[in-house]
Amino acid sequence: GRHTPQPHRGQDVQVDLTVSFEQAFSGTTAKVELDRPETCAICSGSGARPGTSRTTCRVCGGSGQTSDGQGMFAFSRPCTACAGAGSVIENPCAACRGAGSVVRRKPITVNVPAGATDGGKLRFKGKGQPGASGGPSGDLYVVTRIAPHAFYRREGADVTFDLPITFAEAALGAEVTVPAPDGTKVKLKIPSGTASGKVMRVRGKGAPKLKGGGAGDLKVRARIVVPESLTDAQREALEAFSAESDQDVRAHIR
Ligand SMILES: [Zn+2]
Ligand SMILES: [Zn+2]
């Protein structure tokens, strides 16, 4: 009998999608473009020029198979002239060159969940390439990339940023208000004696966690800013401070 093609699953497709820090934090919908084969509209998928049709293969007489050998040693194989279809296209459709399908760039809308991570992979079942002969479609994988933000950085569900503080705030301690990525303001206590690079953690003020609920932390890294110029009064105050100080900051470097 004829060679009947088996149903097979369409291919999985993977695309990169760059979103802003805010979009990854709060979630968004975005469009990705996929090249997908579609049934040719000109020939309705037959591959034959309109007004013509497929003709019976002369090599195999329409069976789709040819046999080699004779008698009990004969064996059959799919006909190479018609690829086992039993018919051939003598006048191919100009639009699809006889393929019966054309590749089109198709936009697909995907939901990016709140808390999407940099390099994270989202799976959209059945949104990949269509299957053949009744097989199911493959899956679409979207790898999210987070575009750089002016000062926030994502570390998984945690969000970090550098907080400039003055030498006086670092030495004396202070309470400052910082912006959290969810749009709220957070009061942050800087302890006296805070070293440059010290990380202060605000629990639950990071990005939403994709699994298990809750949110990551906001990690605020102190960065001490040294004044580029001093007034006379500031200079005198610092010289007085220095004269009072017996701290040996280089004791371990000898
Ligand atoms: Zn066509
Ligand atoms: Zn044939």
Side-chain angles (χ1 to χ4, degrees), residues 57-66 79-88:
C57 176
R58 289 193 193 91
V59 175
C60 62
S63 71
Q65 292 185 328
T66 50
C79 172
T80 52
C82 62
S87 60
V88 292

Side-chain angles (χ1 to χ4, degrees), residues 51-200:
T52 70
S53 58
R54 297 178 73 97
T55 52
T56 302
C57 176
R58 289 193 193 91
V59 175
C60 62
S63 71
Q65 292 185 328
T66 50
S67 45
D68 289 339
Q70 284 184 335
M72 66 183 292
F73 299 108
F75 58 94
S76 60
R77 59 172 68 179
C79 172
T80 52
C82 62
S87 60
V88 292
I89 298 163
E90 285 184 337
N91 298 296
C93 166
C96 63
R97 294 187 182 85
S101 64
V102 286
V103 172
R104 273 195 216 296
R105 184 147 287 193
K106 197 178 169 190
I108 293 179
T109 303
V110 293
N111 284 314
V112 177
T117 57
D118 189 41
K121 213 183 217 185
L122 306 171
R123 177 169 177 251
F124 298 93
K125 201 170 186 300
K127 296 273 194 180
Q129 297 293 8
S133 311
S137 292
D139 297 335
L140 167 65
Y141 291 93
V142 174
V143 177
T144 46
R145 305 283 175 199
I146 301 177
H149 184 271
F151 49 89
Y152 291 133
R153 282 187 311 279
R154 282 282 297 275
E155 287 177 359
D158 291 341
V159 174
T160 71
F161 78 96
D162 285 358
L163 177 70
I165 59 174
T166 66
F167 165 76
E169 287 172 331
L172 302 172
E175 195 172 82
V176 297
T177 302
V178 299
D182 63 1
T184 61
K185 304 284 184 191
V186 175
K187 273 205 166 69
L188 187 69
K189 194 174 162 58
I190 297 165
S192 60
T194 289
S196 200
K198 181 189 168 71
V199 174
M200 291 156 284

Side-chain angles (χ1 to χ4, degrees), residues 40 42-43 47 93 95-96 100:
C40 176
I42 303 300
C43 63
C93 166
C96 63

Side-chain angles (χ1 to χ4, degrees), residues 208-214:
K209 286 180 180 169
L210 284 179
K211 285 174 189 162

